[in-house]
Amino acid sequence: MRNMTERSRTQRGESACTCASLSHEASKSASRRAKHAGFLLTTAVAIAAAFLLVACGGGSAGPAGPAGASGMSTLVRITAEATGANCAAGGTRIDAGMDANANQALDAAEIGSTQYLCGGAAGTSGAAGLAGADSVSMLTLMADAGANCASGGKAVSVGLDANRNGVLDVPEMTSTGYVCNGASGTSTSGAAGLDSLLATVTETAGAHCSWGGMKTTSGLDSNGNLALDAGEVTSTTYVCNGAPSAELTWVDVTSTSVQAASNSGYLADNAGQVTITLPPAPAVGDIVKVTGVGAGGWKVAQNAGQRVYAGYANSNWSSRGPNGNWIAVATSADGMKLVATTDQLLYLSADGGATWTPGAVPAQDYDAVTSSSDGAHLMAQGGNQQLYISGDSGQTWAAAGVTPHGWVAIASSSDGSRLAAAEYGGVIYTSSDFGASWTPQLSQGGTWSGLTSSADGMTLIAVDANAGGLVYASHDAGLTWAVLPAPALDWGGVTVSADGTHITAIVRNGSGGIYTSNDSGLTWRQGTSVSGPWWGLAVSADGKVVAASIRAHNGMGPQTPGEVYLSTDSGATWVRRDPVGHFWSAVALTANGTDLIAVSNDGVVVTPQSTSRAGTIGAVYGAQFDTVDLQYVGNGLFSMIAHEGTPFAR
């Protein structure tokens, strides 16, 4: 979806914002952020005994008497224990008790003993992997319960084999529990209860445990042969060894290029730039580190299908467009096709802003632009109050089929078929045929300052710029409208996610800041109270990433530069990301939220990215003494998990 907002008739000459879904004071986009995944290393767990068998008898016979009820069985239940207070790295929970209700299941009220067999803590990288010879094994010892069980039973002790002698010595025991036999009958003889059996064997590396571990099974000895047969198994659990920690190998690179290997570090040690190419087939969790030693710095090159997530804090904000008084900008979903306007011309880019060409439209200032997801269908709001439409990515343009009005905001569906335009202090018009014909819709409200559309064009959100302004919503492409329960403020722009549920609105002036709703406008929260004048606004397709720009402050003194803020949590928190010194007028976001486009009226066009470009055209750069740690997280994505200096992705 695309939506834009523009300046009012009395405000032209100032800047307007647009985006893949937004303009001058309101924007809209479609985006989604690539997900960052971590990799867990768990400590290797080894069990000394290859096979353990526990038999717990039922009640013993009392004095002769009439046949009585069956004695109670001793039951054992083994379940996986999640990471938490009982096992910091997860493990196995062993519950035991008497089957009081004879349902052959160990109910919660019947548990008389609970033990935990825990995995080791997560290991850290080092010279010796945690699963190597220096690993400390966890052992289990089964012994007679002695005085702890009046009628006999078993004591279950666990602990780490600190002295590595393969035996669980008394000082090494960290926990002991007891599984006791039933008490002897007093006046009747009962049938012997079924024994509970538990077996523990080594689990080889495979589907259940990638690096091997322990398999524990349990059940009742139905046939009384004191062996846990396959048909008697009622519970199976696994305690797996952790992945071996990779030992990092460092390579001093004095040439200008090297092919990187997984779990290796590289010292870029050359007077010229050193190119380190990522491993072509890494495994999830593999690490590559780079440190700049030589004066030439370094470049981390990518293979086909690879990219690096660095976040906007490590993105490049250098200008990539012609110098001009930029007013509005919009983008295709992938960020490759851009359209931007100045106070004189409309410019097009088909390569993500690397190069620009003037569009074939009348030379005038354009307050706002919109773009379809594929960048083919464009709409521009001209300074002569005429709307212009293009269906071929800006190669040709034609006046829209609607009488010129004092337009202040425009919006587009993701395919460009459904369009909307608001006139200053008047009617909102809609089109469902790519702008060939238009229908007047909402006439109430007042000084419209923002208009936005969902991806399908069915949900439209409009805001009023008057003090005490309202927020309006339509869910039938503009046929009917309702006032949303948003605060009554001097709204300056609005944008919405692709599905119409995440709404963000900016306050034009004062300390109102930015408000968001994540439930289609039913409830609202203030994400930031930073003073405006807020001018540009854009959102990713899922509503998670939101960008907003503050136009230059005029006030009573000298004009001061503007600011660009980003939120990656649907507007809950905001962080300023732009370099200081520019007069930002509009922002746009790609559908996934990984690429930002920002323009300023002091001649700057920037395209910072939270990830590098996919494939061989993308890379991460660093200077001398800059460092970066990259970890492979799957699907061709490396994540920048640590860095020093100012490395950036492009």
Side-chain angles (χ1 to χ4, degrees):
M1 85 239 116
R2 301 292 171 269
N3 63 18
M4 328 318 299
T5 58
E6 296 76 36
R7 297 166 300 139
S8 69
R9 184 183 314 174
T10 59
Q11 295 168 324
R12 289 197 304 274
E14 297 176 332
S15 52
C17 73
T18 64
C19 66
S21 46
L22 186 71
S23 136
H24 172 174
E25 305 181 356
S27 49
K28 147 144 215 349
S29 87
S31 90
R32 185 162 189 89
R33 194 128 159 224
K35 230 179 113 335
H36 182 96
F39 180 70
L40 301 177
L41 298 178
T42 57
T43 306
V45 178
I47 303 300
F51 183 94
L52 294 177
L53 187 63
V54 179
C56 300
S60 59
S70 298
M72 290 185 289
S73 299
T74 302
L75 302 182
V76 176
R77 182 174 63 201
I78 301 173
T79 56
E81 180 67 12
T83 299
N86 296 315
C87 286
T92 300
R93 171 175 172 155
I94 304 173
D95 295 316
M98 305 302 296
D99 187 15
N101 57 12
N103 67 346
Q104 295 192 358
L106 185 61
D107 302 322
E110 298 171 339
I111 296 175
S113 171
T114 298
Q115 291 293 296
Y116 297 94
L117 184 61
C118 299
T124 57
S125 299
L130 292 178
D134 291 333
S135 298
V136 177
S137 301
M138 179 173 286
L139 303 181
T140 302
L141 178 64
M142 309 292 290
D144 288 335
N148 295 289
C149 289
S151 299
K154 294 293 182 181
V156 183
S157 301
V158 295
L160 293 175
D161 186 17
N163 58 13
R164 297 175 174 82
N165 66 347
V167 177
L168 184 62
D169 301 317
V170 174
E172 297 170 337
M173 296 180 183
T174 58
S175 178
T176 300
Y178 301 94
V179 181
C180 298
N181 297 331
S184 300
T186 57
S187 61
T188 61
S189 60
L194 299 178
D195 292 325
S196 295
L197 302 181
L198 180 148
T200 303
V201 297
T202 300
E203 178 71 14
T204 58
H208 297 296
C209 291
S210 298
W211 290 277
M214 175 194 73
K215 175 182 177 180
T216 302
T217 55
S218 65
L220 295 176
D221 186 18
S222 301
N223 58 14
N225 67 348
L226 296 180
L228 185 61
D229 302 321
E232 298 171 336
V233 174
T234 59
S235 176
T236 301
T237 189
Y238 299 89
V239 178
C240 299
N241 296 333
S245 298
E247 181 179 354
L248 204 66
T249 300
W250 282 93
V251 179
D252 186 14
V253 184
T254 57
S255 61
T256 58
S257 65
V258 65
Q259 171 61 61
S262 293
N263 302 312
S264 299
Y266 296 89
L267 303 174
D269 192 4
N270 193 292
Q273 185 182 74
V274 178
T275 299
I276 300 101
T277 303
L278 290 170
V284 172
D286 283 354
I287 299 288
V288 174
K289 296 186 178 184
V290 177
T291 297
V293 176
W298 48 266
K299 168 186 174 182
V300 175
Q302 303 169 173
N303 299 289
Q306 292 181 340
R307 55 200 171 99
V308 176
Y309 175 83
Y312 282 111
N314 300 301
S315 54
N316 180 26
W317 286 73
S318 59
S319 183
R320 304 190 70 200
N323 193 7
N325 181 18
W326 297 102
I327 296 175
V329 64
T331 179
S332 59
D334 62 4
M336 295 307 295
K337 291 184 178 180
L338 307 178
V339 54
T341 68
T342 70
D343 56 355
Q344 293 294 323
L345 296 172
L346 182 148
Y347 285 87
L348 302 165
S349 175
D351 53 13
T355 59
W356 295 80
T357 57
V361 291
Q364 59 187 334
D365 65 315
Y366 290 89
D367 296 334
V369 285
T370 68
S371 172
S372 60
S373 293
D374 59 5
H377 295 277
L378 309 175
M379 179 168 59
Q381 173 193 315
N384 64 357
Q385 306 309 313
Q386 177 66 60
L387 299 179
Y388 290 91
I389 305 291
S390 174
D392 54 11
S393 299
Q395 298 306 305
T396 60
W397 294 79
V402 62
T403 303
H405 289 272
W407 305 115
V408 292
I410 57 177
S412 168
S413 62
S414 62
D415 64 359
S417 64
R418 293 186 177 274
L419 305 174
E423 62 175 337
Y424 181 80
V427 178
I428 292 178
Y429 288 76
T430 62
S431 171
S432 60
D433 54 9
F434 296 95
S437 61
W438 294 76
T439 303
Q441 305 286 7
L442 182 63
S443 59
Q444 62 197 52
T447 310
W448 300 114
S449 58
L451 184 62
T452 185
S453 171
S454 60
D456 60 7
M458 298 304 293
T459 296
L460 297 175
I461 311 293
V463 295
D464 190 341
N466 287 328
L470 302 177
V471 179
Y472 294 80
S474 171
H475 298 292
D476 52 14
L479 294 178
T480 60
W481 295 77
V483 177
L484 295 178
L489 296 167
D490 177 13
W491 298 111
V494 65
T495 189
V496 70
S497 59
D499 63 2
T501 60
H502 298 273
I503 306 171
T504 303
I506 52 177
V507 178
R508 183 196 305 271
N509 295 307
S511 59
I514 302 176
Y515 285 79
T516 59
S517 171
N518 294 320
D519 54 10
S520 301
L522 296 179
T523 60
W524 295 77
R525 64 183 178 186
Q526 186 182 41
T528 177
S529 60
V530 174
S531 298
W534 291 99
W535 214 249
L537 191 59
V539 68
S540 61
D542 61 2
K544 296 295 181 62
V545 183
V546 192
S549 63
I550 295 177
R551 189 175 177 272
H553 296 273
N554 292 309
M556 299 299 294
Q559 188 181 43
T560 59
E563 301 167 3
V564 175
Y565 284 76
L566 278 160
S567 172
T568 57
D569 53 11
S570 298
T573 59
W574 294 81
V575 178
R576 182 180 178 180
R577 290 302 187 194
D578 65 299
V580 298
H582 296 292
F583 300 88
W584 304 108
S585 53
V587 291
L589 279 169
T590 53
N592 58 12
T594 60
D595 293 22
L596 170 70
I597 301 93
V599 298
S600 72
N601 57 25
D602 61 326
V604 173
V605 177
V606 296
T607 57
Q609 303 147 1
S610 60
T611 66
S612 60
R613 293 288 187 192
T616 56
I617 63 173
V620 178
Y621 298 85
Q624 187 179 28
F625 307 126
D626 286 351
T627 68
V628 67
D629 294 2
L630 303 176
Q631 185 175 52
Y632 185 65
V633 296
N635 296 320
L637 181 65
F638 284 82
S639 179
M640 186 184 295
I641 58 176
H643 74 277
E644 294 290 340
T646 57
F648 63 89
R650 174 178 291 175

